[in-house]
Amino acid sequence: MSAPHMQALAEGTLGLALLHLERGDLASARPLLADAVADGVSVGANASLFHGAPALEFVLGCAGRRDPAVEDAVDRVVSARLSAADERRGSERRPSLKEFDLISGLTGMAALLLSRPRPSSGLDDVLTYLIGLATPSEGVPGWWSDDSPGHEETVGGHSNHGIAHGIAGPLAMLAIAARRGARIEGQVEAMEVFSRWLERFGAFYWVTRDQLAANDPPRTHPGRPSWCYGDLGIARALQLAAIATGDLTKQQAAEDRAYDALTDPVRLGLVIDASLCHGWAGLLAVTRAIAADSRSPQRFSALAEALSARLAETIAALPKTGFLEGRTGARLALEGSTTTGWTRALLID
């Protein structure tokens, strides 16, 4: 098996190693980690929190291990990504989702750098980059991307809102960094920009130029309240930002948003599997995180119990074995412990 596949957190064996580590079974995790580095460490164009050297560093960190060579490789990836972003800005092009998002981009790299036991010299640079996304350009937000969010062409680009690929990810990242003492100039203001946008448009997975130009605001429609896209992941990002800025009113509004999504049978009816990414496991993990920070955690207790029961009923039907869309990630959520800090990969705490 090639190193790139072995070093894939989303679908590869690193996710399984993470499950063993969370269970305290280092003996089962050790050969998986050894296989992951047997043919070298991937630092190619797709290196990210979920692939290659950064994914490997994340899982090693969850095991309480550090590898200076892997960290050096990650630092080189971060530097290259920031340089590419500078070049893109210099040519007045808009960012791709893969430049800034959690799954493939600099938001995920920031999450990794923040998780290091000692401050990383590159963390402030990445946070500065994320703050820069709050500056509009040519009448659209700074995170506006020409990428097509779905399978159809999106003329004029779009604003992506999910925590996995959209602006909710940078918002959650800046908020988590602030809560952990990593605060730099412009951070609070950027969180306010991202929060206001999501408060207005967060009911949509994304918004296009045509929708922005319309006289009437786009109509809302029920959407799956998943972690990756949807109300629950966005609610958690908004809650984290409100806590980081000490805004109790906005914190309550974010928690209300989550509660409404979790008690809406129409939206819950759109959940079709048990996965972390867009299924019951993700809903359960996010609900627990929201409850842990809520001033009324008991409000979510019965909801979490119901989600746990639904996950237990459906986990066996997952056809995949991986972390984001398979049984490994679903099992991590169902078992409910977070000793290793594995939920940091989801940017929910």
Side-chain angles (χ1 to χ4, degrees), residues 144 154-158 207-216 218:
W144 197 270
T154 304
V155 178
H158 76 293
V207 168
T208 65
R209 273 190 180 273
D210 288 344
Q211 289 172 315
L212 283 185
N215 292 327
D216 296 324

Side-chain angles (χ1 to χ4, degrees), residues 187-199:
Q187 192 165 346
V188 170
E189 292 80 4
M191 285 190 285
E192 291 172 349
V193 170
F194 301 155
S195 294
R196 285 196 300 269
W197 183 273
L198 289 172
E199 288 162 359

Side-chain angles (χ1 to χ4, degrees), residues 49 54-55 57-62 64-66 71 74 107-120 123 173 176-177 180 182 340-345 347 349:
L49 178 61
E57 182 186 337
F58 178 78
V59 176
L60 289 175
C62 288
R65 302 287 195 274
R66 298 188 64 189
E71 291 184 7
V74 169
T107 294
M109 303 306 288
L112 177 59
L113 296 179
L114 184 64
S115 71
R116 288 180 174 176
R118 289 190 289 274
S120 168
L123 178 60
M173 183 64 247
I176 290 170
R180 296 182 187 171
T340 61
W342 66 268
T343 52
R344 294 195 301 266
L347 271 192
D349 55 20

Side-chain angles (χ1 to χ4, degrees), residues 103-134:
I103 300 297
S104 301
L106 283 162
T107 294
M109 303 306 288
L112 177 59
L113 296 179
L114 184 64
S115 71
R116 288 180 174 176
R118 289 190 289 274
S120 168
S121 59
L123 178 60
D124 283 0
D125 292 335
V126 182
L127 295 180
T128 297
Y129 161 82
L130 295 178
I131 290 168
L133 295 173

Side-chain angles (χ1 to χ4, degrees), residues 15-48:
L16 182 57
L18 195 55
L19 176 60
H20 289 313
L21 291 171
E22 185 60 40
R23 290 171 169 173
D25 185 1
L26 185 59
S28 295
R30 189 177 289 113
L32 297 174
L33 295 173
D35 286 344
V37 299
D39 297 320
V41 180
S42 175
V43 291
N46 59 350
S48 66

Side-chain angles (χ1 to χ4, degrees), residues 326-345:
R327 294 186 297 276
T328 295
R331 181 61 61 184
L332 278 163
L334 184 61
E335 295 181 5
S337 65
T338 57
T339 303
T340 61
W342 66 268
T343 52
R344 294 195 301 266

